[in-house]
Amino acid sequence: MLGFPGQVMLLLWLVAQVSSRSNVTRCDPGCDCREDLRFTICSRAFFTQPPGIIPDSTELLDLSDNLISVIPKHTFDKNRKLRVLLVQNNNISVVEDGSFSQLEFLQKLDLSWNRICTLTAGFSVGLTFLRELQLAHNHLTSLDTRSFLHLDSLQRLNLTSNRIQAIHSRSFTSMSSLRQLHLEDNRLTSLTSGAFSMLRSLEILNLAGNRIGTMDTGVFNPLTSLTLLNLADNQLSSVGFKTFLSIHSYSTHILLRGNPWNCECELQRVFRKLRSIQRLFLDDYYNLTCREPAVLQGYPLMDVDSELCIAETVTVLIITVTVVITVLAAMLMGERKRKKRSKRLHWTQQADFSDESDF
Ligand SMILES: *[C@@H]1O[C@H](CO)[C@@H](O)[C@H](O)[C@H]1NC(C)=O
Ligand SMILES: *[C@@H]1O[C@H](CO)[C@@H](O)[C@H](O)[C@H]1NC(C)=O
Ligand SMILES: *[C@@H]1O[C@H](CO)[C@@H](O)[C@H](O)[C@H]1NC(C)=O
Ligand SMILES: *[C@@H]1O[C@H](CO)[C@@H](O)[C@H](O)[C@H]1NC(C)=O
C-alpha cells in the first residue's frame, strides 16, 4: 500500500506519461502518424472531412481515398511544414479560398479524381513554392487568368481528363517555370494566340484527345523550350506551315496521328515543307491517314501524297498547255488575217492605181 504522497507521485507520473505519450501519438484514430518519419497516413479511413488532429511536424499527409467533399479554409493552418499533400480520390467539389495559404513549403499537391469545377484566385494563394499540381479527373470547364495566379514555381501541371473547353489568354502567365502541361482528354476545340504566353520553360505540351480543329498561327510562338507537342486524336484537317514553324526551340517532336486529315495537295505541300525543317520531328508522319477527299478516306497520307499531287500537277500542266496553244493559235490566226487583209488592201490599191493609169 502506498501512502498519500506515494499516490500523488504515481498520479503525477501517470499524467506525465500520458501527456508525453499523447504528444507522440496525438493523432486521429483513423490515421497512422509516424512523427519520427514526419508522415501522417489517413488513407481509406472513410473520412467525410479532413481529420481534426494532424501532428504539426507532418511533412507528408495522405488523405487519399476518403469521402471528403470540402476543404475548409483553415484546415492546414497549423501544418506549415507540409511538403506533400495527397487528397486524390475523394469527393471534393469545393476548395475554399485560402485553404492552402499557410503551406509555403508545399511541393506537391494531388487533388486528382475529385469533383472540382472551378479554381478561384484564392485557391493558389500561398502556394508560391509548389512544384507539382495534380488535378486530373476533375470537372474543370475553363481556365482563366486567375486560376493559377500564385503558382510561380510550378513545374508540372496535370489537367488530364477534365471538361476544359476554353483556355483564356494569359491563363498561365505566372508560370514561367512550368515544364510539363498535361491537357489531354479535355474538350478544347481551338487554340488561340496567348493561350500559352509566358510558358518559356515549357518542354512538354500534351493536347491529345481533345477536339481541336483550329489553331492560331502564333499560338506556339512563346514556347521556346518545347521538346514534345502532342496533338494526336484531335479534329485537325489541315495545319498552317507557320503554326509549327513558329516554335523556336532546339528540337521539337510533334505527334499528329488520329486527326481527320484533308489530304489535298495544300496539306501535302505543308507537310513536305515541315519535314524539311531540321528542328521539327514529325514522329508519326507515317501513321497519318486521310479522311478527305472521300476517295482517299483511310489511305495513309504519305501514300496518296505524290499521286494526287502529280495528278494535280498534270492537270495544271494540261490546262497551261491548252491555254498557251489557244493563245498561240489565236495569235497565228490574227496574224494570218492581218496579212491577208494587207495583201487584199495592196491588191486593191494596185487596182486603183491601174484604174487611174487608165485615165
Ligand atoms: C508536449 O507538447 C507540449 C506542447 O505542445 C510541450 O510543451 C511539451 O514539452 C511536450 N512534451 C514532450 C514530452 O514532448
Ligand atoms: C459527394 O458530394 C456530393 C456533393 O458535392 C454529395 O451530394 C454526395 O453525397 C457526396 N458523396 C459521398 C459519397 O459522400
Ligand atoms: C496525370 O494524371 C493521370 C491521372 O491521375 C496520371 O495517370 C498521369 O500519370 C499523370 N501524368 C503526369 C505526367 O503526372
Ligand atoms: C505507325 O506506323 C508504324 C510504322 O509504319 C507502325 O509500325 C505502327 O504499327 C503504326 N501505328 C499505328 C497506331 O498505326
Side-chain angles (χ1 to χ4, degrees):
M1 277 290 141
L2 289 167
F4 178 70
Q7 282 178 341
V8 169
M9 287 299 284
L10 183 64
L11 199 67
L12 281 178
W13 181 78
L14 273 174
V15 168
Q17 278 297 302
V18 167
S19 75
S20 80
R21 184 169 305 162
S22 78
N23 269 16
V24 174
T25 59
R26 229 179 92 80
C27 184
D28 204 285
C31 302
D32 176 11
C33 302
R34 298 291 302 274
E35 286 193 64
D36 47 340
L37 298 175
R38 304 202 173 91
F39 63 64
T40 301
I41 310 294
C42 313
S43 186
R44 294 164 213 252
F46 301 100
F47 281 117
T48 53
Q49 57 191 51
I53 313 163
I54 302 162
D56 296 354
S57 59
T58 303
E59 289 182 7
L60 184 152
L61 174 59
D62 185 353
L63 298 171
S64 63
D65 302 289
N66 281 292
L67 301 166
I68 299 167
S69 51
V70 177
I71 298 191
K73 200 166 182 165
H74 299 293
T75 310
F76 306 112
D77 278 6
K78 285 190 179 152
N79 303 105
R80 290 172 185 241
K81 291 184 177 157
L82 275 183
R83 288 174 186 271
V84 177
L85 177 54
L86 308 175
V87 209
Q88 71 269 28
N89 233 331
N90 275 274
N91 190 28
I92 297 166
S93 53
V94 179
V95 179
E96 287 186 359
D97 273 4
S99 298
F100 310 117
S101 63
Q102 304 300 318
L103 304 182
E104 58 174 324
F105 296 111
L106 198 67
Q107 295 191 358
K108 175 175 173 170
L109 173 57
D110 194 337
L111 285 164
S112 48
W113 295 96
N114 278 290
R115 299 149 59 97
I116 300 167
C117 50
T118 53
L119 294 175
T120 57
F123 159 77
S124 63
V125 170
L127 297 177
T128 322
F129 293 104
L130 195 69
R131 284 158 168 259
E132 180 177 338
L133 176 57
Q134 298 283 347
L135 276 165
H137 295 277
N138 274 283
H139 299 182
L140 294 168
T141 53
S142 73
L143 304 177
D144 66 38
T145 42
R146 296 165 311 143
S147 306
F148 308 114
L149 203 56
H150 305 279
L151 304 176
D152 297 343
S153 309
L154 203 69
Q155 295 189 0
R156 185 191 292 192
L157 176 57
N158 191 347
L159 292 162
T160 301
S161 300
N162 275 271
R163 301 167 183 178
I164 300 166
Q165 293 170 6
I167 300 174
H168 296 287
S169 185
R170 297 193 296 280
S171 295
F172 305 112
T173 32
S174 61
M175 299 166 149
S176 53
S177 308
L178 198 68
R179 298 167 80 160
Q180 296 191 17
L181 177 54
H182 296 270
L183 279 162
E184 56 264 41
D185 191 22
N186 274 283
R187 298 178 186 173
L188 295 168
T189 53
S190 63
L191 299 177
T192 47
S193 289
F196 307 117
S197 60
M198 309 293 283
L199 295 181
R200 267 174 275 117
S201 310
L202 197 69
E203 292 165 9
I204 297 178
L205 176 56
N206 195 337
L207 292 160
N210 278 274
R211 301 164 187 178
I212 299 164
T214 58
M215 304 185 290
D216 281 358
T217 307
V219 68
F220 303 123
N221 196 23
L223 308 176
T224 48
S225 307
L226 202 63
T227 57
L228 177 63
L229 172 60
N230 191 346
L231 281 162
D233 302 312
N234 275 285
Q235 291 298 324
L236 294 167
S237 57
S238 65
V239 283
F241 174 59
K242 285 183 185 163
T243 311
F244 294 142
L245 189 69
S246 69
I247 304 172
H248 281 292
S249 56
Y250 181 64
S251 87
T252 308
H253 294 259
I254 303 176
L255 299 176
L256 293 165
R257 68 170 171 273
N259 280 283
W261 296 111
N262 181 347
C263 299
E264 300 284 8
C265 293
E266 179 54 31
L267 186 73
Q268 292 169 27
R269 239 170 263 137
V270 170
F271 273 107
R272 204 175 309 131
K273 282 196 278 178
L274 284 174
R275 292 175 67 210
S276 70
I277 295 175
Q278 301 264 313
R279 61 176 196 275
L280 299 180
F281 299 89
L282 305 184
D283 288 354
D284 57 6
Y285 174 73
Y286 298 107
N287 294 80
L288 306 188
T289 51
C290 308
R291 173 75 54 84
E292 280 178 283
V295 285
L296 296 177
Q297 190 168 351
Y299 281 84
L301 170 65
M302 62 155 191
D303 284 358
V304 300
D305 183 346
S306 28
E307 291 164 36
L308 188 84
C309 286
I310 285 173
E312 195 197 53
T313 316
V314 167
T315 315
V316 169
L317 256 170
I318 289 173
I319 291 172
T320 315
V321 168
T322 316
V323 167
V324 167
I325 288 174
T326 316
V327 168
L328 275 176
M331 279 167 65
L332 265 168
M333 296 280 280
E335 181 73 0
R336 205 183 271 170
K337 255 186 199 159
R338 204 175 57 79
K339 268 188 184 158
K340 242 185 200 168
R341 201 185 303 136
S342 71
K343 227 180 207 172
R344 202 184 301 138
L345 197 69
H346 196 193
W347 184 78
T348 2
Q349 274 172 352
Q350 272 188 342
D352 285 352
F353 280 128
S354 57
D355 281 356
E356 270 169 28
S357 64
D358 279 353
F359 274 99

